[in-house]
Amino acid sequence: MRLLSTLLAAVLATVPLSAAATPGVSEREIVVGTISDLSGPTALLGVPVRDGMLMRFEEANAAGGVHGRSVRLAVEDAGYDPKRGILAARKLIQRDRAFAFIANLGTPVVMATMPMVLDAGRLHLFPFSPHEATYSPLHPLKFQVFAPYQEYMEAGTRHMVGRGGYARSCLLYQDDDYGLEVMKGVESGLAQLGKALVTKTSYKRGATDLSSQVARLRAADCDLVVLATVVRETVAAVSEARRIGWEVDMLVTASGYSAQTHELGGAAVEGLYGISVLPHPYAEGASPALAGWIERYRSRFGAAPNVWSVMGYTLADLFVRAAEAAGPTLTAERFAAALEALRSPPDFFGSPQYRFDPTDHLGNRHGRLAQIRNGRWELLTDYLE
Amino acid sequence: MSAPGALRRVAPWLLLLLAAGVWLGPDYALGQATMVATYAIAGLGVVIVVGQAGQVTFGQGALVALGAYAEAVLAGRGVPVILSLPAAVALGAAGGALASLPAWRLGGLYFGMSTLAFALLVEEALVRWEGLTRGAAGLATPALALAGVALDAPLAQALASLATLLCALFFCRRLLASRLGRAWRAVREDEAAAEACGIDAARAKTLAFAVGGALSGLAGALYAHWIGFISPEQFGLMFSFELLMLAFIGGARRLAGAAWGALVIVAIPQGIAVLRDLLPGDWARAAGLEAMLFGAVIVAVVLLRPGGIAGRR
């Protein structure tokens, strides 16, 4: 044990302690960490989010940086595994000395790493997890822009049912926290209209055959089916309904609002309603500003951007704006104060206006209604209050 | 074990810890050590069941889950660790014994499939029993507290898990040298011959699963504290296969195999992640690079050391 202590002391002595007052901030550089999923079950989301953030930071650096400092994104791949997430967080805190963590991905990873990040006095910004703990209870260092599904599914269902006059609303949901969260929102939205779910049926994550669930919903004579599904299950559910000749209206959550839904589903998903928290960047019919952005992204990463690329870009943009507003002496406290005062301006993506204040660190609670028409998502409403 | 022998065995581990500490920073290295030790304890359970008793198990992750949930539920209700930890170990052991019951009738891969079913049942129960486990939403676990002192510093966590691993290794070593250990090896080599010699094979197998389950439960309890948040998906089939892989890479027939296997499973991906940072430009961004390199390391280990790192060539 004495040998171990001696060795540990030697290790501690060899590690230089930074003289900088704020970890991750030097005269030339700001280090921002992200714990993403580049190889696991949500890599389809993690890669474009990372690329979107890289693009925005590279733009900021090309324009002279933030108060003369370039922003460096230190990326760690946890593969949706909390054990790897913990080690990645330790590495980013101690070795890379990240000033802030941005867009950490996956509820298990976020919940496992967030206490460590906050204990180290680092900012925990905009994680990809709809868990309420990411913004509540209020903590000076944690900020979120993704509301729990319950929040915008409540408004979305209320608007959809009120507008369409549906009498028999039903729910198909994934049998996990995501599905249960959506269920709460749908039930609450219906309750505000004096209605209740006629029936609900679930499937296990990863299921590919939803024929029995769709048959059950049809037997219940539903006239609106809310889908708490992800892309593949959305396509499976809608295709199955159309295959058996059931032309019921369906509304999917933001998890199904993806270009992949109509790319995979084709004609079968035509007319599907969805909730969008950020519009998909279609090249066709894009404004000049958006078209230029799409082209720059494509030439930088060799792939077309999707809604997650936009999200990554937007989150990095929020970071750059807040860091600019915090002034040349950058500290976590100044950054947090700048973010609390920030009002994101309208952008060419059609993003919601993100706003925080000292008593509320959730920057957006609203989604908008969209529908697949002619093989692409079209927005039907503004952000629903 | 003589003092020089002990030093010879411990020295490579200390050197690894030292090198990681200098290279990556002490907290990071200690975090790695914590995870390696915790996985090694779970790996010891697989070594007992697979390497010693010669049984096939695809559901060891479920026994880790039982320990993790027992600890998280009890610690969350303020039960002191002196009571919650034995409860987690006991639940793991009971789960192991239960999972072994089909071994009375089934053997080989058929029995292996029954352990797979057991793992699926446990995962399903953890999702469904929302009142206790909070279902798929997961359960937060407070820091491990010993005599009112929270072990939330990386050094304290590393020391706690390393000390537990050493105790577990000592216990297993004694067990393997006992009559029961010999019975396990006899059953592994030839079950019929073992029974002809008067060994109760069914009892020996059940005890192997109970001991393996207890070790898994212990590892699960520590895991819950170190991670701080557990959810059923963390203990899925992939996790069981990871533990099985751990035992085979390290060497399923030797206790030290659990530690070497844990080092490969836990630390190599992190090492690759660090090396990746040194790659130029877009190479560092290539998706799946770590998984690919990790796969290559596993294949190399299996080809060069078919008996596992700790096994004979």
Side-chain angles (χ1 to χ4, degrees):
Chain A
M1 190 51 72
R2 202 164 57 197
L3 176 64
L4 182 65
S5 312
T6 314
L7 288 173
L8 284 172
V11 168
L12 287 166
T14 55
V15 176
L17 295 172
S18 171
T22 307
V25 180
S26 65
E27 256 181 54
R28 293 184 173 185
E29 191 179 65
I30 304 168
V31 182
V32 182
T34 182
I35 305 173
S36 192
D37 176 7
L38 308 178
S39 57
T42 49
L44 275 176
L45 195 151
V47 173
V49 167
R50 176 202 60 183
D51 289 348
M53 289 197 290
L54 275 176
M55 185 170 166
R56 180 64 187 96
F57 288 145
E58 284 171 3
E59 283 178 5
N61 295 342
V66 178
H67 294 291
R69 298 183 180 104
S70 62
V71 184
R72 177 165 70 84
L73 185 67
V75 184
E76 287 298 318
D77 176 16
Y80 210 76
D81 176 351
K83 162 193 44 114
R84 288 174 66 187
I86 290 263
L87 295 170
R90 286 224 164 98
K91 175 175 176 279
L92 288 169
I93 289 169
Q94 191 165 52
R95 189 161 186 264
D96 298 299
R97 299 183 62 75
F99 166 69
F101 284 70
I102 187 167
N104 290 352
L105 200 156
T107 297
V109 171
V110 168
M111 294 302 289
T113 55
M114 190 169 64
M116 188 187 298
V117 171
L118 297 175
D119 284 349
R122 314 299 166 88
L123 289 147
H124 193 264
L125 307 173
F126 329 131
F128 274 78
S129 161
H131 206 290
E132 198 184 357
T134 56
Y135 62 90
S136 176
L138 190 72
H139 186 286
L141 298 176
K142 66 184 185 190
F143 291 83
Q144 176 61 294
V145 294
F146 304 106
Y149 288 97
Q150 184 179 351
E151 296 262 359
Y152 44 81
M153 282 314 289
E154 179 185 309
T157 307
R158 196 177 60 233
H159 180 85
M160 185 83 186
V161 172
R163 171 178 170 266
Y166 299 103
R168 298 182 65 79
S169 302
C170 305
L171 175 71
L172 172 65
Y173 66 103
Q174 188 162 288
D175 187 6
D176 61 8
D177 56 334
Y178 157 58
L180 296 175
E181 188 79 38
V182 174
M183 188 197 297
K184 283 187 217 160
V186 171
E187 284 178 338
S188 169
L190 287 172
Q192 288 170 24
L193 298 171
K195 295 173 189 276
L197 273 174
V198 172
T199 191
K200 56 195 176 194
T201 181
S202 68
Y203 67 92
K204 200 160 170 56
R205 192 187 306 188
T208 49
D209 176 29
L210 300 173
S211 52
S212 60
Q213 287 90 340
V214 171
R216 185 173 161 195
L217 293 167
R218 189 183 196 185
D221 201 20
C222 309
D223 57 4
L224 173 69
V225 176
V226 180
L227 302 173
T229 49
V230 194
V231 173
R232 196 178 57 188
E233 298 84 357
T234 306
V235 172
V238 184
S239 301
E240 174 63 18
R242 303 303 180 244
R243 192 185 66 77
I244 60 173
W246 190 31
E247 294 295 328
V248 67
D249 281 346
M250 292 187 168
L251 168 69
V252 70
T253 72
S255 289
Y257 176 86
S258 160
Q260 286 176 315
T261 305
H262 53 70
E263 285 165 7
L264 293 172
V269 295
E270 195 67 20
L272 172 69
Y273 291 93
I275 299 289
S276 158
V277 286
L278 197 66
H280 183 84
Y282 290 104
E284 194 184 329
S287 65
L290 179 58
W293 181 86
I294 292 171
E295 193 42 48
R296 288 198 305 281
Y297 184 96
R298 201 192 291 270
S299 63
R300 171 69 180 86
F301 301 109
N306 59 22
V307 68
W308 303 115
S309 323
V310 175
M311 188 52 85
Y313 186 90
T314 312
L315 299 181
D317 185 61
L318 277 177
F319 179 89
V320 171
R321 285 177 190 280
E324 287 278 5
T329 312
L330 185 60
T331 62
E333 292 71 26
R334 281 170 178 266
F335 183 96
L339 202 52
E340 283 169 351
L342 191 75
R343 299 287 175 269
S344 68
D347 60 20
F348 54 80
F349 298 118
S351 307
Q353 191 182 37
Y354 300 111
R355 55 172 70 198
F356 308 90
D357 64 50
T359 58
D360 184 10
H361 284 189
L362 176 60
N364 173 47
R365 287 183 161 79
H366 312 298
R368 53 208 295 200
L369 196 61
Q371 187 178 27
I372 296 179
R373 293 178 177 173
N374 303 315
R376 57 181 277 165
W377 286 104
E378 285 194 13
L379 298 166
L380 303 182
T381 67
D382 201 350
Y383 289 95
L384 300 167
E385 296 286 332
Chain B
M1 199 190 308
S2 64
L7 190 63
R8 205 171 55 238
R9 288 186 182 206
V10 173
W13 296 97
L14 288 179
L15 281 173
L16 273 172
L17 187 64
L18 183 70
V22 172
W23 189 27
L24 304 166
D27 281 0
Y28 184 67
L30 291 169
Q32 289 272 18
T34 304
M35 281 300 162
V36 169
T38 307
Y39 265 58
I41 297 168
L44 278 176
V46 184
V47 166
I48 296 285
V49 173
V50 179
Q52 296 297 318
Q55 301 304 301
V56 184
T57 176
F58 298 125
Q60 207 69 12
L63 303 175
V64 179
L66 289 177
Y69 269 90
E71 183 68 16
V73 167
L74 292 173
R77 284 165 169 70
V79 176
V81 70
I82 198 155
L83 296 176
S84 63
L85 209 57
V89 172
L91 191 62
L98 190 66
S100 77
L101 291 183
W104 292 49
R105 291 277 181 103
L106 302 173
L109 270 181
Y110 296 101
F111 171 64
M113 296 311 286
S114 77
T115 62
L116 199 67
F118 175 78
L120 290 171
L121 280 173
V122 169
E123 193 185 348
E124 195 63 23
L126 293 176
V127 173
R128 301 279 172 196
W129 199 356
E130 279 183 45
L132 189 72
T133 66
R134 292 196 64 236
L139 203 57
T141 317
L144 180 66
L146 279 177
V149 180
L151 303 186
D152 48 7
L155 178 62
Q157 292 183 351
L159 289 177
S161 47
L162 286 168
T164 312
L165 172 63
L166 288 176
C167 290
L169 275 168
F170 177 74
F171 166 73
C172 290
R173 209 175 136 84
R174 294 293 300 264
L175 211 53
L176 295 194
S178 72
R179 185 185 173 88
L180 182 60
R182 289 193 293 278
W184 284 340
R185 289 191 290 281
V187 169
R188 179 187 74 196
E189 296 305 327
D190 190 328
E191 194 171 327
E195 287 197 322
C197 295
I199 293 171
D200 184 345
R203 180 174 170 276
K205 284 193 265 186
T206 301
L207 283 173
F209 268 88
V211 171
L215 290 162
S216 299
L218 178 62
L222 294 178
Y223 177 90
H225 283 299
W226 308 151
I227 297 286
F229 173 78
I230 54 170
S231 52
E233 66 194 355
Q234 294 175 36
F235 305 98
L237 292 182
M238 268 311 291
F239 183 56
S240 290
F241 286 122
E242 208 173 53
L243 290 176
L244 204 56
M245 201 159 72
L246 178 158
F248 280 106
I249 290 171
R253 297 216 169 172
R254 287 169 174 261
L255 294 178
W260 283 109
L263 186 72
V264 171
I265 292 286
V266 176
I268 295 280
Q270 299 303 315
I272 293 171
V274 173
L275 289 175
R276 183 210 57 202
D277 291 350
L278 306 175
L279 291 173
D282 284 354
W283 273 96
R285 290 197 313 110
L289 181 70
E290 286 158 46
M292 205 173 69
L293 287 174
F294 183 52
V297 169
I298 302 288
V299 171
V301 168
V302 170
L303 285 177
L304 297 173
R305 306 280 301 198
I309 298 172
R312 294 186 181 87
R313 278 175 196 272

